[in-house]
């Protein structure tokens, strides 16, 4: 299990999350001997209760459970429901109450860390396990997102659509059990059953580094939507993310949307140079001035014709809304 507390997370909660990760190896939601809820109760509950009690009353409206212990809430409501509910509450907080002070930043980082912990626990499988009677699916396979986009993996989607405990051998022909990928969705799986390569898999593999880079920038910008926070290393690129995302109303908990946006940017080749061009156009410069600024100030030898060609090639969705 890999959980990294967000920068700015409450120090006590962050320390207990690290202890939780160190002890979590044998624990899972499926284990009777090592139920993960017991570990949450022992390690996370005291630290989280202390943190919540230190908050002003107004913050407690944005925390799931209404005063119930965290482990009890997870027990009675379920991991996925708690994660979704807390994402909605955190989004509401950011949209309505976020004032960018240190207390707010700590609150967001702490809740983000808890959501990540809950999501990891929900998909964690026993270190050693055997399937229920009549089920031949490997229950230790991971659940989660496709490595290349915001879709669920084939295996995750399958598990969410059926009851694993009611599954019977005769419902799933042998060849179908083998083809569910726990790393990719149906759009990005490496091969067809006949061995032919999927072109979108190859495309996703080639652009994985850029996809992860764009996703990181998007999440950073969402965390502090009112200032340039993409931390790309270039002021114009950071300006682009700031202005382009202002009307999107997204937060770091909108994982599906952010992953799909990162995929969209990557697939349609929204390079950093094109982001700089769009940023300068939004600032009111014409194409000749954009070329001159990029050439003189950013060591990018670009002509007016190249700027025009780049703008023509861009999808309209990438242009910054002039109202923001």
């Amino acid at each position: 299990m890999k959980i990294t507390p967000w920068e700015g997370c409450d120090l006590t909660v962050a320390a207990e999350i690290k202890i939780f990760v160190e002890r979590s190896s044998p624990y899972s939601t499926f284990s009777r001997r090592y139920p993960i809820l017991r570990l949450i109760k022992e390690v996370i509950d005291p630290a989280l209760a202390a943190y919540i009690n230190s908050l002003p009353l107004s913050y407690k409206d944005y925390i799931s459970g209404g005063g119930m212990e965290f482990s009890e809430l997870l027990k009675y409501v379920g991991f996925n429901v708690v994660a979704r509910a807390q994402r909605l509450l955190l989004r509401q907080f950011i949209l309505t109450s976020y004032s960018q002070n240190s207390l707010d930043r700590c609150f967001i980082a702490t809740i983000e860390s808890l959501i990540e912990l809950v999501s990891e626990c929900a998909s964690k499988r026993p270190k050693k396990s055997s399937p229920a009677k009549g089920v031949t699916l490997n229950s230790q396979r991971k659940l989660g997102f496709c490595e290349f986009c915001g879709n669920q993996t084939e295996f995750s989607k399958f598990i969410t659509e059926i009851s694993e405990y009611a599954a019977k051998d005769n419902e799933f022909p042998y060849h179908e059990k083998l083809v569910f990928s726990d790393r990719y969705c149906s759009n990005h799986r490496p091969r067809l059953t006949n061995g032919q390569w999927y072109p979108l898999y190859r495309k996703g593999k080639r652009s994985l580094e850029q996809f992860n880079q764009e996703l990181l920038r998007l999440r950073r910008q969402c965390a502090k939507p009112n200032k340039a926070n993409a931390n790309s290393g270039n002021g114009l690129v950071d300006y682009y993310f700031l202005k382009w995302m202002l009307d999107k109303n997204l937060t770091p908990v909108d994982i599906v949307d952010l992953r799909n946006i990162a995929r969209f940017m990557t697939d349609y080749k929204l390079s950093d140079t094109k982001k700089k061009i769009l940023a300068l156009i939004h600032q009111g410069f014409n194409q000749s001035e954009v070329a001159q600024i990029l050439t003189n100030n950013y060591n990018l030898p670009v002509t007016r014709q190249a700027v025009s060609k780049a703008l023509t090639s861009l999808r309209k969705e990438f242009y910054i809304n002039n109202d923001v």
Side-chain angles (χ1 to χ4, degrees):
M1 180 180 287
K2 294 182 180 179
I3 305 170
T4 303
W6 278 52
E7 182 180 353
C9 176
D10 175 75
L11 293 178
T12 302
V13 174
E16 294 305 309
I17 288 176
K18 291 178 181 178
I19 293 172
F20 178 87
V21 171
E22 291 170 358
R23 294 179 54 187
S24 66
S25 179
Y27 290 85
S28 79
T29 56
F30 294 92
S31 175
R32 292 184 179 182
R33 186 177 179 184
Y34 297 103
I36 205 161
L37 282 173
R38 186 176 71 199
L39 186 62
I40 292 174
K41 184 176 182 63
E42 292 175 3
V43 178
I44 302 299
D45 278 4
L48 182 57
Y51 172 67
I52 292 174
N53 289 335
S54 73
L55 291 171
L57 189 61
S58 60
Y59 286 78
K60 298 177 183 179
D61 294 335
Y62 300 101
I63 300 175
S64 300
M68 184 183 296
E69 278 195 338
F70 192 50
S71 58
E72 289 296 301
L73 177 66
L74 292 168
K75 177 180 178 180
Y76 290 112
V77 179
F79 287 85
N80 291 327
V81 173
V82 170
R84 288 196 297 269
Q86 191 57 69
R87 281 172 179 155
L88 291 173
L89 287 170
L90 183 57
R91 180 174 184 173
Q92 184 181 359
F93 171 79
I94 292 173
L95 294 176
T96 61
S97 303
Y98 180 51
S99 58
Q100 300 187 45
N101 58 41
S102 59
L103 189 61
D104 284 1
R105 292 194 294 270
C106 179
F107 179 74
I108 291 172
T110 303
I111 297 302
E112 284 280 15
S113 301
L114 288 171
I115 291 173
E116 186 172 335
L117 182 144
V118 171
S119 299
E120 285 291 320
C121 289
S123 61
K124 190 176 188 296
R125 290 296 182 259
K127 192 172 184 180
K128 293 182 179 179
S129 66
S130 57
K133 184 178 180 181
V135 179
T136 59
L137 294 170
N138 180 357
S139 62
Q140 288 183 259
R141 298 172 72 190
K142 67 178 181 178
L143 302 178
F145 293 112
C146 171
E147 291 186 10
F148 298 154
C149 68
N151 295 331
Q152 287 181 304
T153 64
E154 287 184 319
F155 184 69
S156 298
K157 190 174 189 304
F158 175 71
I159 290 297
T160 60
E161 290 177 350
I162 65 157
S163 170
E164 184 175 357
Y165 301 104
K168 302 298 181 184
D169 253 2
N170 57 11
E171 295 178 17
F172 309 111
Y174 180 74
H175 73 278
E176 290 185 356
K177 295 175 192 174
L178 297 178
V179 300
F180 291 118
S181 172
D182 60 6
R183 295 182 63 186
Y184 308 106
C185 66
S186 56
N187 292 333
H188 290 112
R189 66 180 347 272
R191 293 178 185 266
L192 295 165
T193 54
N194 63 8
Q196 183 179 354
W197 285 96
Y198 257 35
L200 287 180
Y201 165 78
R202 289 184 164 180
K203 185 176 183 180
K205 197 72 173 176
R206 287 194 301 268
S207 59
L208 181 59
E209 183 177 349
Q210 184 188 351
F211 168 79
N212 287 329
Q213 175 180 265
E214 301 293 21
L215 178 60
L216 180 59
R217 292 171 174 179
L218 289 163
R219 294 199 69 183
R220 284 172 176 164
Q221 186 55 50
C222 285
K224 298 178 180 178
N226 296 318
K227 60 179 288 188
N229 195 54
N231 296 335
S232 68
N234 182 275
L236 279 180
V237 175
D238 288 351
Y239 176 91
Y240 175 81
F241 277 99
L242 168 65
K243 295 298 182 180
W244 186 77
M245 296 191 69
L246 274 180
D247 65 338
K248 303 295 185 291
N249 294 324
L250 294 172
T251 71
V253 300
D254 297 309
I255 303 298
V256 173
D257 293 321
L258 294 176
R259 290 181 70 87
N260 284 332
I261 290 173
R263 182 77 264 151
F264 186 62
M265 287 181 165
T266 304
D267 282 350
Y268 287 96
K269 299 181 176 13
L270 183 63
S271 65
D272 282 358
T273 297
K274 291 178 180 177
K275 295 185 188 82
K276 293 170 187 175
I277 291 172
L278 289 169
L280 290 170
I281 291 292
H282 183 260
Q283 292 175 10
F285 296 102
N286 61 39
Q287 293 181 13
S288 296
E289 291 169 333
V290 168
Q292 186 176 4
I293 291 170
L294 292 178
T295 300
N296 295 339
N297 298 351
Y298 293 91
N299 197 29
L300 290 172
V302 177
T303 64
R304 187 201 63 78
Q305 291 80 2
V307 171
S308 177
K309 184 177 180 180
L311 292 171
T312 302
S313 70
L314 285 167
R315 293 177 63 98
K316 63 180 181 180
E317 293 93 334
F318 292 135
Y319 281 75
I320 299 171
N321 188 336
N322 288 325
D323 296 332
V324 297

